[in-house]
Structures are given as structure tokens and as C-alpha cells.
Amino acid sequence: IENDNSSLSLKKPPRSVGLIGLISIGYLLTSSGPYGIELVSSCGSYVYVLLTFLLLPIVWSIPTSLITAELSLMVNDVGGCSLWAEKAFGEDFSFFVGILSWFSATVDLSLYAPIFVHYLSNIFIDTKYENYTWCGKLSECYWCTFLISIVLIIIVVAINIWGTEKVGYFGAIFSIVLLIPFVIFVCIGIGKVQLGEILSINGGIKNIGGVKWNILIITVLWSISGYDQLGQLAGEIKSAKRNYPIGVFAIIIISTIFYILPLIVGMQFERDPDKWYTGEFSNLAVLVGGKWLEILMSIGGMASAIGGFLCSLKATSNNFYSISERGLIPKFFSKLLPKRRTPYIAILFNAAIVSLFISLPFESILNLDMAIYSIVIAIECVVYIKLYLYNPNYHRPYKAIPNKWFLPYLASPIILTITIFIFLPLTIQWNTIVFITIIILLVFFRY
């Protein structure tokens, strides 16, 4: 029996991620810092922006994280939502959810490289190199962006193939680098905040009709999503029963704090909502601390992009590995590197797909990502409810809710999924419907 167990363990990635590694990877998967959220402040009254960041996690992040914690520990293996779906509805439905989740995550991966280039370009603003193509104008040069993105992809692939524990180590480093500028930003600026004035800007609480709710809700949900991706790592967590729930809730607390406080400080220094855009924190850093803080903020933005890319590629590749390992797609994709025991074929394949997407418009990628991802979340809620009601005998080391009366709360992301779909542009709605139809046809063909 011992020999059989040893042989089986060599066919799976090792349990090499501790609590700190889990928090680091999870934070980069779900947040990657406040970078990229600046656009929400342009949506209207600041009071509604802050309330949205406080309230949406209650009906999106927390239910998703609770479901993820229970089902990940119940299955306790690499694969996440596709494994949960197989437990609930069989392998054909597992194939559908796995491919849907994989595509959503792959689309999301293509957002990180352009963000990295944007912040790299920001370093040279207001210097003598501002108008140089490979410096201040870097993000406006297509081939410059593409070549740097390819180099970034190669580096991230190399770390992923090196091993999950290395992803955790580098994730911790990137998390510290990206958060340091905001710690300084908040410490310097928080004493100057006049909260009452901020909350009354642009009509305050009375101007609910002037809020751009579609942009606000979709952007906030994008910034607080990704908790279910932690399920892809369940089989690689040390002492999962203890570390998993602690890690998930630590990530929620850290993320919320580092969204709200920088926004409040930023709102104090920029009172005009119309002047906020992606990358605005770098400009605000100059007002708060000077040019040195702006450079530090840009370096943090680069760390956020590469760290998010690193950890998201790990989770996406684990999903693809799991689907392959269970025979739902060719077994070729589940091959492990002999010494490192990492799914190198899945990693390389996903990286190749991402390289095809990086030149697409950022906003279109974001909308398509959230459209498909929110559907995955809604399906995960349905899977959880089914397993809770009809499979109560499955061993659950961790239980998310005490009784069935809490099920409507855990199902609340389904309502938000419908909301997201209504707010999306018509072209994105049609693209999403077409893609889901293609996957359904693939499932039918496979069946």
C-alpha cells in the first residue's frame, strides 16, 4: 500500500505551499493591489464608489470564498471547479465547466502584460526620456509592447515550471513590492483626509442617478474576483484543513483594506471624478510624496502585473492539467516534469494562447472576461447547492454554513451574474453566448 501511495504521489504536483505562500498567491490571484481600480472613482459620487467596495464583497467575495473553502477541502485535489462539478453532475458537465473556467482565466491572463508595459512607461514621464519610443512612449508602440510582453511571458513560464513553491516565494516578494508604495502613500496622506468633504463631492449620497453603475459594478467585481481560482491549488496546500480557511479570509481582509484606504487618500487629493483614469495613482503619488513616490508606485504596478500573471498562470495551468489528467481532454496535457513535478505542457500551452490575446483592446478583454467568469461563479453556486442538499454524506473537513437557511446567501452571486450580463455591451453579450454555445457543442460531440 505504501508503494502504491508513493507511486500515486509522483503522478501529482507535491504539497509544497504553506500559509504565507497561500496568502501571497491568493492575494495576487484575487487583487494584485489597487492598481487598475482608479477608473471606479470617475463613475460619480465618491460616497457610492466607497460603498460599492464595502458592500459588493459581502455578496460576491465572501460567498465565493466560503464555497471555495468547503469544496476545495472536500475534494482536496488539484482541479477546482471542474472537480466540484464532476462530483455534482458527472464528467460531461465537469468538461463544460472546466473549459469555460479555463477560457475565462486565459482571457484574464492577457490583461497583465499590457498593464506591466503601461507602468514601465510611467517611470519615464516628466523626465528627459518622456518622448522616447522605448521609454515614455513605450505603451503607445505596438511592437514594443508585444516584445516586452513575450519576454514577460517567458519569465513567468520559467518560474511556473520551476515549481509551485517558487511561485509562492516570488508571489510573496511581488506582494511586498506592490504594497510598499501604498503603505507609504496612505501613511503620508491619511492625516490630510477630510472624509465629510469627500463624501459630499458630486452631490454625495443624493446623486444616485448620476452614477455610472455599469462601469462601477463591473470594475469592482473584477477587482474582487478570483477566490474560486484558489480551488485549483487545493491539492498543493500543506495542512490544508487549517491553512485554507485562514488564508482565504486573510486575503479578503487585506484586499479590502488596500482598496479603501488608498482610494480615500486619492480622493482627498483629486476632488474631480472626471480626472480619474487607469494609472491615476502614479499621478497622485507625486502630489502626496513627490516624484520618488511616483517612481515607486510605477515599480509597484509592474510587480502587481507580473505577480498576478505568475499566479494566475499557475491556477489556469492546474485547471487544464486536471481536465487532462481525468481524460476529458488528451492526456498529453497532464504530463509532469520528472524532477519538478510541474504540468509543463499545460503551462506552455496556456502561455502560447495568452500570447495571441495580448494585442486585443483592454476594455473588450475585461468585459469578455467578466461575462464568462461571472457565469462560472453562478454555476459554482449551483454545484454547491446540489452537493449540499443531495450529497450530505461527502466528508467535509470545513463547513461554510451551519444549515440550509444560509443557502440563499451563498447563492447571491447568481443575482450579480445576471446584473453583469445586463450591463455588458451587446457585442460582448453575443460573443459570450456564441462561445458558450461552442462549448455545449463540444460537450455534445464528446458525449
Side-chain angles (χ1 to χ4, degrees):
I1 293 173
E2 288 179 0
N3 289 336
D4 287 345
N5 288 338
S6 176
S7 175
L8 181 62
S9 67
L10 291 174
K11 296 179 181 179
K12 295 181 178 295
R15 292 187 179 273
S16 55
V17 181
L19 179 60
I20 299 301
L22 172 63
I23 294 174
S24 301
I25 294 174
Y27 181 67
L28 290 168
L29 276 174
T30 58
S31 174
S32 295
Y35 299 99
I37 67 168
E38 297 98 329
L39 192 62
V40 298
S41 295
S42 69
C43 293
S45 301
Y46 286 164
V47 63
Y48 284 109
V49 173
L50 296 173
L51 282 174
T52 303
F53 263 107
L54 285 172
L55 297 177
L56 279 189
I58 297 174
V59 292
W60 183 263
S61 302
I62 294 177
T64 304
S65 61
L66 288 171
I67 288 172
T68 299
E70 178 171 329
L71 296 185
S72 294
L73 292 175
M74 184 186 80
V75 176
N76 203 18
D77 200 357
V78 171
C81 59
S82 65
L83 272 177
W84 312 337
E86 184 171 357
K87 287 278 188 182
F89 297 109
E91 70 173 27
D92 290 312
F93 192 73
S94 171
F95 175 69
F96 171 75
V97 175
I99 294 297
L100 195 65
S101 174
W102 166 77
F103 183 78
S104 169
T106 304
V107 170
D108 184 69
L109 278 171
S110 62
L111 295 170
Y112 293 106
I115 292 174
F116 178 89
V117 174
H118 172 78
Y119 281 105
L120 177 59
S121 178
N122 271 0
I123 292 176
F124 302 99
I125 301 299
D126 295 328
T127 71
K128 64 180 181 180
Y129 303 105
E130 182 176 8
N131 295 316
Y132 285 50
T133 300
W134 280 91
C135 297
K137 299 292 184 181
L138 190 61
S139 58
E140 298 176 15
C141 171
Y142 170 79
W143 285 109
C144 304
T145 301
F146 182 78
L147 290 174
I148 292 175
S149 299
I150 294 299
V151 172
L152 186 64
I153 289 172
I154 292 171
I155 293 171
V156 167
V157 165
I159 297 174
N160 268 274
I161 291 177
W162 193 2
T164 305
E165 72 281 7
K166 299 300 185 296
V167 174
Y169 296 153
F170 280 98
I173 294 170
F174 290 132
S175 296
I176 293 169
V177 172
L178 74 89
L179 288 177
I180 285 176
F182 285 103
V183 172
I184 298 171
F185 181 80
V186 170
C187 288
I188 295 176
I190 197 69
K192 300 176 182 179
V193 169
Q194 297 175 328
L195 191 59
E197 292 183 11
I198 290 174
L199 298 181
S200 64
I201 288 174
N202 205 14
I205 197 75
K206 297 179 181 179
N207 191 22
I208 187 171
V211 178
K212 302 172 186 174
W213 287 108
N214 56 337
I215 298 174
L216 179 60
I217 290 177
I218 290 175
T219 306
V220 172
L221 287 178
W222 172 70
S223 66
I224 61 174
S225 295
Y227 288 91
D228 65 313
Q229 291 295 309
L230 286 168
Q232 307 293 353
L233 307 174
E236 299 179 75
I237 306 299
K238 297 177 183 176
S239 305
K241 184 177 179 180
R242 179 183 72 89
N243 289 338
Y244 207 96
I246 294 173
V248 167
F249 286 104
I251 294 164
I252 292 177
I253 294 170
I254 294 170
S255 299
T256 303
I257 290 173
F258 277 97
Y259 280 143
I260 296 297
L261 292 183
L263 278 174
I264 290 175
V265 172
M267 290 169 177
Q268 173 64 36
F269 285 85
E270 181 51 81
R271 301 294 187 92
D272 185 356
D274 292 333
K275 292 184 178 179
W276 282 79
Y277 66 97
T278 301
E280 179 66 11
F281 277 125
S282 294
N283 296 331
L284 292 170
V286 177
L287 300 177
V288 174
K291 181 64 180 178
W292 66 272
L293 186 56
E294 180 190 23
I295 293 174
L296 197 60
M297 191 71 76
S298 295
I299 293 172
M302 293 161 60
S304 170
I306 192 171
F309 191 8
L310 175 72
C311 297
S312 295
L313 180 61
K314 172 61 187 171
T316 306
S317 300
N318 272 16
N319 180 25
F320 213 63
Y321 158 82
S322 174
I323 299 171
S324 171
E325 200 263 341
R326 286 177 284 133
L328 303 181
I329 58 176
K331 283 277 190 177
F332 172 74
F333 292 104
S334 63
K335 286 186 177 181
L336 299 178
L337 201 65
K339 290 186 178 180
R340 305 307 305 172
R341 285 158 61 196
T342 51
Y344 69 103
I345 299 296
I347 293 170
L348 291 170
F349 178 77
N350 284 321
I353 298 296
V354 170
S355 67
L356 299 177
F357 282 125
I358 54 178
S359 60
L360 296 178
F362 184 90
E363 187 176 349
S364 297
I365 296 174
L366 176 61
N367 285 331
L368 182 61
D369 174 31
M370 281 310 301
I372 298 175
Y373 176 77
S374 62
I375 292 171
V376 173
I377 293 296
I379 291 173
E380 289 172 356
C381 292
V382 173
V383 166
Y384 179 85
I385 293 171
K386 195 274 181 183
L387 289 171
Y388 187 93
L389 294 176
Y390 297 99
N391 302 95
N393 295 326
Y394 284 154
H395 175 61
R396 291 171 168 84
Y398 171 82
K399 292 186 178 181
I401 54 176
N403 55 59
K404 64 182 180 180
W405 301 110
F406 286 84
L407 285 176
Y409 171 65
L410 292 190
S412 56
I414 296 175
I415 298 173
L416 283 174
T417 296
I418 297 171
T419 304
I420 289 171
F421 205 76
I422 291 172
F423 281 154
L424 286 172
L426 185 61
T427 54
I428 299 297
Q429 292 177 355
W430 276 109
N431 289 342
T432 304
I433 291 170
V434 168
F435 181 73
I436 291 176
T437 302
I438 291 171
I439 297 180
I440 292 173
L441 290 175
L442 285 174
V443 174
F444 179 76
F445 176 75
R446 182 185 175 277
Y447 176 79

